[in-house]
Amino acid sequence: MAKAFTLTADWLLSQLDKIGASSFCVGLSGGLDSVVLLHMCKCLFLRGQLKSLRAVHINHGLSENAEQWAAHCQSLGEQWNIPVSVFGLQVKSSGQGLEDAARAARYEIFGNELQDNECLLLAHHAQDQAETLLYRLFRGAGVEGLAAMPVSRSVGLGTLFRPLLQVSRQAIEQYAVQHELVWVDDESNDLVDFDRNYLRHNVLPVVLQRWPKAISSLTKTVKHCTAAAEILHDVAIQDMQQIVQEPPFLTGMNGFPIFLPDFLQLSEARQRNVLRHWLQELNWPKPSTEHLAQITQQLSARSDASPQVCWANVMVRRYKQWLFALPSQLSHIPVVAQVLNITTSDQYNLSGNGLLMLSSINNNEPRIQVGSASQSLHIIYREQWSAEKKFAVANRSGKKTLKRWLQEFNVVPWLRDRVPLIVNEDGHLVAAAGFWVVAEFAAQKDEQGWKIEWQPCLR
């Protein structure tokens, strides 16, 4: 018969050694699990086996007892000589549900609070992991979601670590009784209106009555899903190296788009997989299964169309042979003309439209004559320019309207109204920053001139 597991501070030390950190911060709710975790850390700290130790308590303000819980955590800190920081927050669901909103707000504080190379310890245990798996399973999560809570991940400047994920709640309770610990009980944990509480009180007890080792089995499933998710991640990285490329034109996008001819060579499953990881790398909200299906379906639209799919604050759209991820709502550009004084190499902030970068050069790149640049220049935008006016551009033939030149220079549709146009005091167009110089104001061969580059900012 296998020996029953006993939770001890020495066992915890064996887990913390895997992280390689010496400074620790415990997420302290005041409940059973986090109090046990903090007590074990206190024992290790007193033995000199942890370099530094502190705790953070988040007061969500959702219970009439919230202030008492915060006071209990501070009392524990004073009793055990451990610094405890208390942070208050106001939870707003914003459509994703109170539980998810509280969790997001909590982790935002953790991320801001963690110091460089500090390790945040959370007391989630095996039953919490089983509940998370079932919760995500019933919501139709994929492999990555069914990997449930990771044992560790990066948070802010530090690392999050859950050392008790494979420890039973019974073992935690036994430790608390043995050491005569005092904790608080959150009355909301008994409210089955919350999905996780419903699983805890109404689903898991029935499952365990039929399958006593179900939590252990579900933990194994999490491990299998974690391994599968890692494989999918590796495949996505390989695919992204082939299909995510820098286009030969300015995009304003944070990161590079997907080159569709290579993307369409992948199977549908790999297309969806790489789309998820590409958006994740760009820090956009996760797409649903339906959004991914819409994206892949709309890629079959005619080549001159620009189909787009939007959710949350992101828009995925095609332009020619490329797929872009952009803000669904672009910031407004002030229509007030800015004065541009070109005297030295410098940068100009365009008030929400990125930066202009000025440099003096004498190569064959398009550049403004020194004489033209010394005049009083202004920055305007497309809506302030006459659509009918035609002009010639350096190193290009013919005279065309602004619309035609924007198309010829492959200016993407979402930047056309945002391109900074440089005009002189007589109202003549001198240059379109980052794209061209009007022929009559361009420096000649080997002549010194001013190059104006534009770095757009879309979010």
Side-chain angles (χ1 to χ4, degrees), residues 334-340 350-351 377-381 384 421 423:
V335 295
V336 178
Q338 289 182 250
V339 177
L340 181 64
L350 294 177
S351 302
L377 301 177
H378 292 81
I379 301 168
I380 65 169
Y381 295 98
Q384 300 164 275
L421 303 176
V423 297

Side-chain angles (χ1 to χ4, degrees), residues 245-257 319-320 322 324 326 350 353-357 406-416 418-420 432-436 452-458:
Q245 303 174 18
E246 183 177 7
F249 47 81
L250 191 64
T251 70
M253 177 179 161
N254 179 25
F256 293 149
Y319 174 67
K320 295 188 175 181
W322 303 85
F324 297 87
L326 305 160
L350 294 177
N353 196 35
L355 296 172
L356 284 188
M357 290 157 289
L406 290 171
Q407 292 173 342
E408 182 164 324
F409 277 83
N410 286 318
V411 181
V412 291
W414 53 91
L415 289 184
R416 290 174 187 173
R418 308 178 73 88
V419 174
F435 294 100
W436 68 74
I452 304 182
E453 297 176 280
W454 176 43
Q455 181 179 311
C457 177
L458 296 183

Side-chain angles (χ1 to χ4, degrees), residues 68-140:
Q68 297 178 26
W69 301 339
H72 174 72
C73 291
Q74 289 176 314
S75 176
L76 278 181
E78 293 172 1
Q79 180 183 341
W80 294 344
N81 198 27
I82 299 171
V84 176
S85 301
V86 176
F87 293 89
L89 57 85
Q90 291 183 335
V91 179
K92 297 180 181 179
S93 64
S94 301
Q96 78 265 44
L98 197 59
E99 289 178 281
D100 291 339
R103 187 173 301 105
R106 185 165 61 248
Y107 282 101
E108 182 178 0
I109 291 178
F110 286 148
N112 293 334
E113 177 66 11
L114 273 190
Q115 299 172 8
D116 192 23
N117 295 322
E118 188 176 29
C119 181
L120 172 68
L121 299 178
L122 299 182
H124 297 110
H125 51 71
Q127 184 172 323
D128 294 327
Q129 186 73 302
E131 292 168 3
T132 300
L133 173 61
L134 291 175
Y135 176 67
R136 294 184 179 180
L137 180 65
F138 294 147
R139 295 183 67 179

Side-chain angles (χ1 to χ4, degrees), residues 29-33 35 63-66 68-69 72 169 173 181-190:
S29 68
L32 169 68
D33 311 327
V35 169
S63 168
E64 60 183 14
N65 298 315
Q68 297 178 26
W69 301 339
H72 174 72
R169 180 173 175 82
E173 290 172 344
L181 301 181
V182 179
W183 62 90
V184 297
D185 289 313
D186 184 348
E187 72 280 354
S188 69
N189 287 333
D190 296 326

Side-chain angles (χ1 to χ4, degrees), residues 226-377:
T226 299
E230 290 176 357
I231 294 172
L232 289 175
H233 175 76
D234 291 344
V235 171
I237 293 300
Q238 294 175 9
D239 288 341
M240 286 173 61
Q241 291 174 348
Q242 300 299 318
I243 69 171
V244 177
Q245 303 174 18
E246 183 177 7
F249 47 81
L250 191 64
T251 70
M253 177 179 161
N254 179 25
F256 293 149
I258 288 175
F259 187 54
L260 290 175
D262 292 340
F263 173 82
L264 294 173
Q265 297 300 313
L266 302 175
S267 67
E268 287 189 15
R270 286 177 72 165
Q271 287 178 8
R272 291 191 294 271
N273 184 53
V274 77
L275 280 172
R276 287 192 196 94
H277 285 82
W278 174 62
L279 290 163
Q280 184 178 11
E281 287 288 317
L282 296 174
N283 294 317
W284 288 118
K286 291 183 179 180
S288 66
T289 302
E290 291 75 17
H291 292 135
L292 290 174
Q294 290 174 23
I295 293 171
T296 54
Q297 288 171 5
Q298 294 199 25
L299 293 180
S300 60
R302 68 181 193 274
S303 59
D304 61 341
S306 297
Q308 51 190 258
V309 178
C310 299
W311 70 94
N313 61 336
V314 61
M315 169 179 63
V316 173
R317 65 173 294 174
R318 192 184 77 190
Y319 174 67
K320 295 188 175 181
Q321 298 190 90
W322 303 85
L323 190 68
F324 297 87
L326 305 160
S328 56
Q329 297 291 331
L330 298 181
S331 59
H332 176 70
I333 308 172
V335 295
V336 178
Q338 289 182 250
V339 177
L340 181 64
N341 294 314
I342 304 180
T343 55
T344 60
S345 297
D346 202 354
Q347 290 186 351
Y348 273 77
N349 189 320
L350 294 177
S351 302
N353 196 35
L355 296 172
L356 284 188
M357 290 157 289
L358 313 178
S359 56
S360 177
I361 60 174
N362 63 355
N363 56 24
N364 290 326
E365 294 183 70
R367 60 207 184 281
I368 301 173
Q369 293 172 337
V370 173
S372 299
S374 64
Q375 300 178 23
S376 177
L377 301 177

Side-chain angles (χ1 to χ4, degrees), residues 214-227:
I215 290 181
S216 176
S217 298
L218 291 171
T219 299
K220 292 179 182 177
T221 298
V222 168
K223 288 183 178 180
H224 296 324
C225 290
T226 299

